[in-house]
Amino acid sequence: MRRALAVASSGSTADVPVGAVVFDAAGQELAVGCNERELTGDPTAHAEILALRRAAAIRGTWRLAGCTLVVTVEPCTMCAGAIVLARIATVVFGAWEPKTGAVGSLWDVVRDRRLNHRPEVHSGVLESECAALLERFFDSHRSG
């Protein structure tokens, strides 16, 4: 999670600081992503999506079986769907997102029994540090 926090902090100051890291089954880092929606004008440029795309390109397949996605905030429905479709084995996230979260808060896409793949989930990892990063961002954007 510390690596995901570092990735989140390295992104565009215009984008919400979210960082994502994909690790392979041996724990080696495959790819990272941070939010780039404002930077690129792409509504799908969430940290998770970018990290998944880059990991798939490195592996040469969209199937990321055995991989772990670590992300600083609970994924939204788009990202949760991509996680399931990519066959990610484990999702680790930090801060909960009660307004848009799709890994237990508002929805629980990744554990829906109707789907053919359900990753293991570990939530609240370094939660206060992940939440503080978001709070600082939104505080600075509200006052500025």
Side-chain angles (χ1 to χ4, degrees):
M1 185 59 73
R2 295 222 183 273
R3 176 68 174 125
L5 280 163
V7 170
S9 296
S10 72
S12 161
T13 57
D15 279 290
V16 177
V18 176
V21 185
V22 177
F23 295 96
D24 67 15
Q28 296 292 343
E29 182 179 303
L30 287 177
V32 301
C34 58
N35 277 355
E36 295 181 9
R37 291 188 312 165
E38 298 298 330
L39 182 68
T40 63
D42 178 356
T44 69
H46 287 202
E48 302 94 305
I49 298 296
L50 297 174
L52 292 172
R53 284 178 184 160
R54 292 169 183 154
I58 287 166
R59 279 198 140 181
T61 179
W62 59 267
R63 289 179 180 89
L64 298 176
C67 292
T68 297
L69 174 71
V70 178
V71 60
T72 56
V73 69
E74 180 183 5
C76 70
T77 53
M78 174 182 67
C79 295
I83 289 164
V84 170
L85 293 173
R87 308 301 193 268
I88 289 288
T90 306
V91 177
V92 178
F93 73 86
W96 289 92
E97 177 43 81
K99 293 181 181 178
T100 61
V103 186
S105 285
L106 191 56
W107 296 285
D108 200 351
V109 172
V110 299
R111 289 179 279 218
D112 190 316
R113 296 243 176 248
R114 295 169 292 184
L115 299 176
N116 64 339
H117 177 75
R118 289 179 297 282
E120 182 178 336
V121 175
H122 301 277
S123 57
V125 177
L126 297 180
E127 180 177 1
S128 56
E129 290 178 49
C130 293
L133 185 62
L134 295 170
E135 288 166 13
R136 283 192 301 274
F137 173 82
F138 287 115
D139 285 348
S140 71
H141 282 72
R142 284 185 197 109
S143 62

